[in-house]
Amino acid sequence: IIHWYKQKEDEAPERLLFASEGKVTIESGFQANRYMVERSSAQKRCVLTIKDVIPDDAATYYCAYWDPHLIGYYNKLFGSGTKLVVSEKGSSPPANSEILQKKHENQIMYVCLIEKFYPEVIRVTWTDDEKEIRDNVVKGDTWQSTKEDEYSIASLLTVPAENENKKYYCKYEHEEEKASLPTQVYSVKAAPQEEDCRTVFNRDELMHRTAYLVYIILLLKSSMYYLIVLFFNYK
């Protein structure tokens, strides 16, 4: 039995429908003729289709099922969710994407900055050219740029300084574009004796943005640790 849930922002999830043996049962409060479910046991897929989408359909949709393999009780497993954005504005890919890096003592911090895209739904991952990296990765939430219809996001990867010659990749998937950004091998170069004002401005701006992003992300990490310690002290 496959269940589909709908969760609007800042609200509890509610079950939309469930499908069993070719029969689909729509929960009360939802228009039955607007939802269609297709199942493929061979491919282990279940597809939910929403017809005539309206603004009220904007939400995150989750599929779920009861796991019968746990002895003694059932555990309902949920998917990662699919966010549906309903808007008259057309989607647009990121206008800028780059990796900022800073070496500090025995660590190197890479900040993947992806700017000015719409809608805000985007997936960002780090890889080492072989597999996805999950440890020592902090992904921030999307934030709105100066324009209300543009969003940006940053993701931080921390690696040991001994890996400075290893290349990593920041990959993002947006409905308008997919890309993979490689990190640069860390090196320190002497600044030229003569440089124009534009070069100085760009470097200063880059360092300012890097420091700001690292500060925000480290602040979030510190807050998380504080809440964990507070929780165990309370327990």
Side-chain angles (χ1 to χ4, degrees):
I1 302 177
I2 302 297
H3 307 257
W4 281 96
Y5 285 80
K6 174 182 179 181
Q7 184 175 24
K8 304 193 72 172
E9 189 173 359
D10 298 325
E11 294 184 11
E14 56 180 338
R15 190 168 67 172
L16 174 64
L17 58 85
F18 62 93
S20 175
E21 298 179 353
K23 181 182 178 181
V24 178
T25 302
I26 310 292
E27 297 289 355
S28 60
F30 297 99
Q31 299 178 13
N33 60 345
R34 296 185 56 234
Y35 304 98
M36 181 176 67
V37 174
E38 298 176 87
R39 294 185 58 180
S40 172
S41 299
Q43 297 179 343
K44 297 183 178 180
R45 296 181 60 200
C46 182
V47 180
L48 170 66
T49 301
I50 305 175
K51 301 178 182 178
D52 303 322
V53 173
I54 59 177
D56 189 61
D57 293 323
T60 301
Y61 293 83
Y62 299 90
C63 61
Y65 74 98
W66 291 103
D67 183 5
H69 299 98
L70 298 176
I71 301 175
Y73 64 92
Y74 280 77
N75 184 36
K76 183 170 282 189
L77 301 180
F78 284 78
S80 58
T82 299
K83 186 173 183 177
L84 173 63
V85 178
V86 182
S87 172
E88 295 180 355
K89 174 181 169 58
S91 57
S92 57
N96 177 62
S97 57
E98 59 184 324
I99 294 181
L100 314 176
Q101 66 185 57
K102 184 173 180 60
K103 190 174 183 180
H104 178 67
E105 295 181 350
N106 60 344
Q107 291 184 326
I108 301 176
M109 291 178 287
Y110 297 107
V111 179
C112 183
L113 179 62
I114 305 166
E115 298 179 290
K116 300 179 181 179
F117 53 86
Y118 185 85
E120 67 269 30
V121 182
I122 193 169
R123 176 178 295 142
V124 182
T125 57
W126 287 91
T127 67
D128 60 2
D129 203 23
E130 297 179 357
K131 60 181 180 179
E132 181 179 346
I133 302 173
R134 297 182 182 274
D135 296 332
N136 301 315
V137 172
V138 178
K139 179 184 174 184
D141 295 327
T142 55
W143 72 83
Q144 285 186 320
S145 304
T146 52
K147 295 176 62 177
E148 292 185 359
D149 56 355
E150 290 183 343
Y151 292 85
S152 299
I153 193 171
S155 180
L156 170 70
L157 170 66
T158 305
V159 300
E162 61 194 44
N163 293 353
E164 62 182 4
N165 294 323
K166 187 173 182 179
K167 186 171 288 187
Y168 299 91
Y169 296 85
C170 173
K171 297 183 178 182
Y172 69 82
E173 297 179 49
H174 187 263
E175 65 178 68
E176 284 294 320
E177 183 179 77
K178 296 181 181 179
S180 179
L181 309 176
T183 58
Q184 300 298 320
V185 175
Y186 193 91
S187 61
V188 178
K189 297 181 180 179
Q193 294 181 354
E194 296 183 2
E195 54 186 1
D196 56 25
C197 295
R198 181 178 179 182
T199 302
V200 175
F201 173 77
N202 288 341
R203 189 174 66 242
D204 289 345
E205 181 187 26
L206 184 67
M207 293 302 296
H208 173 75
R209 292 166 68 188
T210 304
Y212 174 75
L213 289 171
V214 170
Y215 170 75
I216 293 297
I217 293 173
L218 293 179
L219 185 62
L220 291 173
K221 292 176 68 176
S222 299
S223 300
M224 185 186 305
Y225 295 145
Y226 172 76
L227 291 175
I228 293 175
V229 172
L230 194 64
F231 171 78
F232 282 107
N233 286 340
Y234 176 76
K235 294 290 288 187

